[in-house]
């Protein structure tokens, strides 16, 4: 998080300029045409369970940010969190791990919509790093807060940070729709279709647990088999 004052002003000022908000499931969130477009885009790409996961993650991120009084660009968190799993959908493909494919698609979506390079990079980072909290939580506040919301919905991490009533309202508005089973099925599909993209992210865990015959690339083998004498 070693960023200059001017960089923080560039990242935050555009979000502060727009004061439009609305309530979703009792959570006050920023409102605007770009966020609405991101919601529509995610909904078109995603199965209902995955879209609901994205929306819950956004709302949880906003609730956590409010409770912890974190200063961040709300529009960046909204777009990055809503789009964070589009790389898992059939409509987004590419040669890279799904998080990078999704981050590239998110950047393509926001190109030409008036965001600075700095804010676009934060959105890319949030999407690309969301499944690696050991890194993302040490990045800029936008990346960290979005990752907190995603982690809460995925594994319940930080559940005690929510205010009373937030959890019930959000789950009622965007039910989980067999999230555990459906998410596992999606990950196993990706492991089966593109095993080469699974060895250095959490897809590996799903492959080893659920996909018969799956064998991940070993980083030990990469070192031992490197074309050097020592």
């Amino acid at each position: 998080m070693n960023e200059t004052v001017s960089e923080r002003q560039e990242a935050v000022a555009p979000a502060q300029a727009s004061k439009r908000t609305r309530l979703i499931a009792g959570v006050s969130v920023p409102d605007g045409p770009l966020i609405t477009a991101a919601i529509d885009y995610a909904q078109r790409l995603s199965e209902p369970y995955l879209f609901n996961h994205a929306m819950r993650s956004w709302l949880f991120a906003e609730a956590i940010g409010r409770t912890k009084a974190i200063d961040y660009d709300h529009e960046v968190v909204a777009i990055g969190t809503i789009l964070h799993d589009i790389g898992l959908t059939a409509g987004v493909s590419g040669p890279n791990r799904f998080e990078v494919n999704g981050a590239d698609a998110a950047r393509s979506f926001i190109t030409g919509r008036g965001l600075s390079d700095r804010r676009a990079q934060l959105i890319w980072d949030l999407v690309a790093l969301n499944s690696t909290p050991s890194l993302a939580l040490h990045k800029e506040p936008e990346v960290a807060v979005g990752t907190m919301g995603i982690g809460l919905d995925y594994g319940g991490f930080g559940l005690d940070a929510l205010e009373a009533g937030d959890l019930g309202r959000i789950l009622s508005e965007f039910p989980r729709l067999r999230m555990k089973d459906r998410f596992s099925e999606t990950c196993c599909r990706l492991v089966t279709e593109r095993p080469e993209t699974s060895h250095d992210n959490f897809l590996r865990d799903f492959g080893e647990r659920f996909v018969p015959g799956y064998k991940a690339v070993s980083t030990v083998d990469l070192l031992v088999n490197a074309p050097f004498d020592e």
Side-chain angles (χ1 to χ4, degrees), residues 93-137:
S93 61
N96 303 305
R97 52 189 280 179
F98 78 88
E99 301 96 330
V100 174
N101 292 334
D104 288 345
R107 181 158 53 193
S108 294
F109 168 77
I110 61 176
T111 296
R113 295 177 183 263
L115 273 70
S116 68
D117 290 345
R118 170 67 173 171
R119 300 177 80 211
Q121 185 63 55
L122 287 172
I123 291 170
W124 193 96
D125 287 351
L126 172 49
V127 177
L129 294 174
N130 83 86
S131 65
T132 314
S134 57
L135 296 176
L137 294 177

Side-chain angles (χ1 to χ4, degrees), residues 3-192:
E3 54 189 341
T4 67
V5 171
S6 62
E7 286 175 331
R8 278 299 300 158
Q9 288 174 339
E10 181 189 15
V12 175
Q16 292 176 339
S18 174
K19 299 296 186 180
R20 291 177 55 187
T21 62
R22 60 171 166 159
L23 283 179
I24 302 178
V27 179
S28 178
V29 295
D31 190 19
L34 185 51
I35 294 174
T36 298
I39 293 172
D40 291 343
Y41 181 51
Q43 191 165 27
R44 289 197 308 271
L45 287 172
S46 306
E47 295 180 58
Y49 91 88
L50 193 62
F51 173 72
N52 281 10
H53 164 58
M55 293 297 290
R56 289 193 307 270
S57 296
W58 174 36
L59 297 175
F60 286 145
E62 283 292 331
I64 292 170
R66 175 189 65 204
T67 300
K68 294 181 177 291
I70 300 172
D71 180 27
Y72 59 92
D73 184 327
H74 292 259
E75 186 176 51
V76 163
V77 169
I79 296 166
T81 308
I82 292 165
L83 301 182
H84 81 273
D85 265 345
I86 59 174
L88 289 173
T89 68
V92 173
S93 61
N96 303 305
R97 52 189 280 179
F98 78 88
E99 301 96 330
V100 174
N101 292 334
D104 288 345
R107 181 158 53 193
S108 294
F109 168 77
I110 61 176
T111 296
R113 295 177 183 263
L115 273 70
S116 68
D117 290 345
R118 170 67 173 171
R119 300 177 80 211
Q121 185 63 55
L122 287 172
I123 291 170
W124 193 96
D125 287 351
L126 172 49
V127 177
L129 294 174
N130 83 86
S131 65
T132 314
S134 57
L135 296 176
L137 294 177
H138 298 279
K139 290 281 289 178
E140 293 83 356
E142 293 77 14
V143 179
V145 169
T147 301
M148 289 177 196
I150 294 162
L152 194 158
D153 194 62
Y154 182 87
F157 307 113
L159 190 61
D160 56 351
L162 295 183
E163 295 182 0
D166 280 342
L167 179 63
R169 287 191 297 268
I170 293 171
L171 288 175
S172 177
E173 185 77 14
F174 298 99
R176 291 181 66 84
L177 304 178
R178 297 179 52 238
M179 160 83 172
K180 294 180 180 180
D181 292 338
R182 299 302 305 280
F183 195 90
S184 296
E185 292 166 0
T186 296
C187 291
C188 289
R189 172 182 59 79
L190 283 180
V191 169
T192 301

